[in-house]
Amino acid sequence: MSFNQWLSQRIEKTKQAGLYRELRTMSTAPQPKMIVNGTQQIVFSSNNYLGIANDPIVMEKALKTLEEFGMGSSGSRLTTGNTEWHEMLENRIASFKRKEAALLFSSGYLANIGVLSSLPEKGDVLLSDQLNHASIIDGCRLSKAETVIYKHSDMSNLEEKLIETQTYTRRFIVTDGVFSMDGSIAPLDDIMKLSERYDAYVIVDDAHATGVLGERGRGTSELFGVSPDVVIGTLSKAVGVEGGFVTGSRVLIDFLINHARTFIFQTSLPPVSCGAAYAAFDIIEKRQELRERLHRQINVIKGTLESMGFTVYGQGTPIIPVIIGDTEKSVRFSKKLEENGIYAPAIRPPTVPEGESRIRLTVTATHNDSHIEHLLASFEEIGRELEII
Ligand code: PMP
């Protein structure tokens, strides 16, 4: 069998299982209305939660940094790729997250891999939430420590696992702050209490919480008034740019500079991204009205869909998953939304459990009332047609 025949057979199996994925082409900037595959759609699947990706102040800062520093950074941070913009942004992130220090990575994915593959040692154990993001799962796989999965945000199950793993040298609890497919928030206050009782360290991936949760958008730590040992984040969602970061103590950051392979062996972020992200943090901190608007939109959408009879997950985060159940029906639902001018993808197994296929809506502060009215009217119409409500 030829190489391509072998791959075609495997793809055919993916298609038969209804799990085939295809790219869509966006021909416009990330706004609520975009041209998707040549047709105009109201997009309810963007991570640009506060609309910062094309904010004029951020773009102006990007252009200025671009003129000064050029495009690529030309090397890893430890060779020629460490500019003053990288250091300024790290200081900005550390002060924003109320931590001693921060370290940039090329993406949130690589930040998770870098931390989890370097921090725990052989003889340690990682206690990982069942619904953690793929980058945490991959980081655990690369770690020399063993991994034990606990049930999603189930504190008595986590406690059981902490009791069972007392013979390991060190325990690390690792969790998403906001779960990307469920929109739920990790009970960080309880996790911190358990970590104190059982002498474990806590690592939180605040990818979807940064800019969104807490009064100033500092994330789940601010929301719960706690300070985990390691807080990871991305610049690609509410911050509206690209890149990832880790925050914590100065010694943690020194350790990662010396041991995290995804930091050491990767070309650093382009300075233009650092300049843009620097400006974005000012918006996040100062423009509270964007966050307030976002949370109003979340409540309207979730509340209305629930009153129509839909099962809606999520806990006051911009991720609003509407459970359809059957995979094929979810895909049909998403297609019908698209025919109505709404882009919201169906999420299927293995990304979510079997029987829990869903339409994963995300809302942004830049959606207006008419976008939301159209979304809700379409859900009601299609929900009745497909006998979901
Ligand atoms: N963690 C979580 C919870 C995420 O949802 C994502 C993005 N899908 C990442 C990490 C990865 O972040 P990035 O896109 O910056 O690689």
Coordinates of all heavy atoms in Angstrom, one line a residue, residues 15 23 32 42 44 101 144 162 164 174 186 188 232 234 250 259 273 276-277 329 331 356 373 388:
K15 N -14.0 9.9 8.5 CA -15.2 10.4 7.8 C -16.4 9.6 8.2 O -17.5 10.1 8.5 CB -15.0 10.4 6.3 CG -14.2 11.6 5.8 CD -14.1 11.6 4.3 CE -13.3 12.8 3.8 NZ -12.9 12.7 2.4
L23 N -11.0 22.9 7.2 CA -10.7 24.3 7.5 C -11.7 25.2 6.8 O -12.3 24.9 5.8 CB -9.3 24.6 6.9 CG -8.1 23.9 7.5 CD1 -6.8 24.2 6.7 CD2 -7.9 24.4 9.0
P32 N -17.4 40.7 14.9 CA -18.6 39.8 15.0 C -19.1 39.4 13.6 O -19.6 38.2 13.5 CB -19.7 40.7 15.7 CG -18.8 41.6 16.5 CD -17.6 41.9 15.7
I42 N -22.4 35.9 11.2 CA -22.1 36.5 12.5 C -21.4 35.4 13.3 O -21.9 34.3 13.4 CB -23.4 36.8 13.3 CG1 -24.3 37.8 12.4 CG2 -23.1 37.5 14.6 CD1 -25.7 38.0 12.9
F44 N -19.9 33.4 16.2 CA -20.1 33.1 17.7 C -19.1 31.9 18.0 O -19.5 31.0 18.7 CB -21.5 32.7 18.0 CG -22.4 33.9 18.2 CD1 -23.2 34.3 17.1 CD2 -22.4 34.6 19.4 CE1 -24.0 35.4 17.3 CE2 -23.3 35.7 19.5 CZ -24.0 36.1 18.5
A101 N 7.2 37.4 38.9 CA 7.8 37.4 37.6 C 7.0 36.6 36.5 O 6.1 35.9 36.9 CB 9.2 36.7 37.7
K144 N 8.2 13.5 33.4 CA 8.8 12.3 34.0 C 7.9 11.8 35.1 O 8.1 10.7 35.6 CB 10.2 12.6 34.4 CG 11.2 12.8 33.3 CD 12.6 13.0 33.8 CE 13.5 13.5 32.7 NZ 13.2 14.9 32.4
L162 N -5.5 12.5 46.3 CA -4.4 13.0 47.1 C -4.0 12.1 48.2 O -2.9 11.9 48.5 CB -4.8 14.4 47.7 CG -4.8 15.6 46.7 CD1 -5.6 16.8 47.2 CD2 -3.3 16.0 46.5
E164 N -4.5 8.8 48.1 CA -3.9 7.6 47.5 C -2.5 7.8 47.0 O -1.7 6.9 46.9 CB -4.7 7.2 46.2 CG -6.0 6.5 46.5 CD -6.9 6.4 45.3 OE1 -6.4 6.6 44.1 OE2 -8.1 6.2 45.4
V174 N -3.0 20.0 38.7 CA -3.0 20.9 37.5 C -4.4 21.0 36.9 O -5.1 20.0 36.7 CB -2.0 20.4 36.4 CG1 -2.2 18.9 36.0 CG2 -2.0 21.2 35.2
A186 N -12.9 26.3 37.4 CA -12.4 25.4 38.4 C -12.6 26.0 39.8 O -12.4 27.2 40.0 CB -10.9 25.2 38.2
L188 N -11.2 27.0 42.4 CA -9.8 27.2 42.8 C -9.7 27.4 44.3 O -8.6 27.0 44.9 CB -9.3 28.4 42.1 CG -7.8 28.4 41.7 CD1 -7.5 27.1 41.0 CD2 -7.5 29.5 40.8
I232 N -0.5 30.0 34.3 CA -0.2 30.0 32.9 C -1.3 30.7 32.2 O -2.4 30.8 32.6 CB 0.0 28.5 32.4 CG1 1.1 27.9 33.2 CG2 0.3 28.5 30.9 CD1 1.2 26.4 33.1
T234 N -2.5 32.7 28.1 CA -2.2 32.9 26.6 C -2.5 34.4 26.3 O -3.3 35.0 26.9 CB -3.1 32.0 25.8 OG1 -2.8 32.3 24.4 CG2 -4.6 32.1 26.0
R250 N 10.1 34.5 41.2 CA 11.3 34.7 40.4 C 12.1 33.4 40.2 O 12.6 33.2 39.1 CB 12.2 35.8 41.2 CG 13.4 36.2 40.5 CD 13.2 37.2 39.4 NE 13.5 36.5 38.1 CZ 13.1 36.9 36.9 NH1 12.5 38.1 36.8 NH2 13.5 36.3 35.8
H259 N 15.4 25.2 32.1 CA 14.9 23.8 32.0 C 13.8 23.6 31.0 O 13.6 22.5 30.5 CB 14.5 23.2 33.3 CG 15.7 23.0 34.2 ND1 16.5 21.9 34.2 CD2 16.3 23.9 35.1 CE1 17.5 22.1 35.1 NE2 17.4 23.2 35.7
S273 N 4.4 41.4 18.4 CA 3.4 40.8 19.3 C 3.5 41.3 20.7 O 2.5 41.5 21.4 CB 3.5 39.3 19.3 OG 3.3 38.8 17.9
A276 N 2.1 44.9 20.9 CA 0.7 44.9 20.8 C 0.1 44.4 22.2 O -0.9 45.0 22.7 CB 0.2 44.0 19.7
A277 N 0.6 43.3 22.7 CA 0.1 42.7 23.9 C 0.3 43.7 25.1 O -0.6 43.8 26.0 CB 0.8 41.4 24.2
K329 N -26.7 15.1 14.6 CA -27.7 16.2 14.8 C -26.9 17.5 15.1 O -27.4 18.6 14.7 CB -28.6 15.8 16.0 CG -30.0 16.0 15.7 CD -30.9 15.7 16.9 CE -32.3 15.3 16.4 NZ -33.2 15.1 17.5
V331 N -24.0 18.3 14.0 CA -23.4 18.8 12.8 C -24.5 19.5 12.0 O -24.3 20.5 11.4 CB -22.7 17.7 12.0 CG1 -22.2 18.1 10.7 CG2 -21.5 17.1 12.8
E356 N -22.4 13.7 24.1 CA -22.5 15.1 24.6 C -22.0 16.1 23.5 O -21.5 17.1 23.8 CB -21.6 15.3 25.8 CG -22.2 14.7 27.0 CD -21.6 15.2 28.3 OE1 -20.9 16.3 28.3 OE2 -21.7 14.5 29.3
E373 N -30.0 38.8 19.2 CA -31.4 38.5 18.9 C -31.5 37.5 17.7 O -32.3 36.5 17.8 CB -32.2 39.7 18.5 CG -32.7 40.5 19.7 CD -33.0 42.0 19.4 OE1 -33.3 42.3 18.2 OE2 -32.8 42.8 20.3
I388 N -35.2 19.3 19.4 CA -34.3 19.4 20.6 C -35.0 20.1 21.8 O -34.8 19.8 22.9 CB -33.0 20.0 20.2 CG1 -32.2 19.1 19.3 CG2 -32.1 20.3 21.4 CD1 -31.3 19.8 18.4

